[in-house]
Amino acid sequence: MQKTTFNVQGMDCADEVAAVDRALRLMTGVSHIQVNLVLGTVTVDHDTASTAAIITALGKVGLRASIEQGTRRVIHRVLQHRTIPQVQPRPPCHARH
């Protein structure tokens, strides 16, 4: 079991927290998810789900994720495509309601 914390850009309301939770719970190999809206982080306990697959799932709900490694931020690329998933910018949460 591996625990990874992702920094998530664009997560600014409870609806997005729920979308993140739904997207990651549907993934095989994810056993626990902790979303922190204030810090903009998602901590995931996973075994067979890769960090690239998790980042892709977050991208599909319109969020960009990265992993903190030491003091520098590394954006993980999806190795099979060799590109960072395209993320469509979302309007601020208050503009969607």
Side-chain angles (χ1 to χ4, degrees):
M1 188 67 57
Q2 183 177 353
K3 180 179 282 206
T4 306
T5 299
F6 299 86
N7 294 300
V8 182
Q9 297 174 349
M11 186 173 58
D12 59 4
C13 70
D15 288 340
E16 290 167 342
V17 170
V20 165
D21 190 66
R22 271 191 309 274
L24 297 182
R25 286 200 190 283
L26 292 173
M27 293 184 68
T28 302
V30 171
S31 60
H32 180 74
I33 304 155
Q34 180 179 3
V35 182
N36 188 317
L37 181 60
V38 174
L39 296 177
T41 61
V42 177
T43 301
V44 181
D45 291 343
H46 56 103
D47 48 20
T48 58
S50 69
T51 55
I54 293 167
I55 288 171
T56 298
L58 293 171
K60 288 181 180 177
V61 295
L63 302 170
R64 185 174 177 137
S66 63
I67 299 173
E68 278 292 326
Q69 291 187 345
T71 57
R72 65 187 183 106
R73 181 172 284 188
V74 177
I75 304 269
H76 281 255
R77 294 177 182 264
V78 179
L79 298 178
Q80 47 192 255
H81 300 293
R82 304 234 187 248
T83 60
I84 296 173
Q86 295 299 313
V87 176
Q88 296 297 323
R90 294 172 64 162
C93 192
H94 64 275
R96 294 191 304 266
H97 302 288

